[in-house]
């Protein structure tokens, strides 16, 4: 999950650079959308990683 979040951050940064170079609002909105997706992935990864360890029988 963390790898997907880092990938989304890299893609979002690429869209940000592209938006600044071209002056296009469409690329800026794409950057925002990808960053929101990355934030959701990070939140899901953090919440699913906090499960209590299974109890050992024996």
């Amino acid at each position: 999950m963390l790898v997907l979040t880092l990938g989304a951050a890299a893609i979002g940064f690429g869209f940000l650079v592209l938006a600044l170079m071209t002056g296009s609002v469409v690329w800026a909105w794409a950057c925002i959308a990808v960053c929101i997706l990355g934030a959701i992935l990070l939140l899901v990864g953090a919440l699913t990683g906090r499960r209590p360890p299974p109890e050992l029988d024996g």
Side-chain angles (χ1 to χ4, degrees), residues 45-53:
L47 292 177
T48 58
R50 293 188 180 200
R51 293 183 184 161

Side-chain angles (χ1 to χ4, degrees), residues 1-12 15 29-45:
M1 191 68 71
L2 183 60
V3 174
L4 292 175
T5 304
L6 290 172
I11 292 170
F15 282 154
W29 279 110
C31 170
I32 292 169
V34 170
C35 289
I36 290 173
L37 176 67
I40 291 171
L41 287 173
L42 185 64
L43 182 64
V44 167

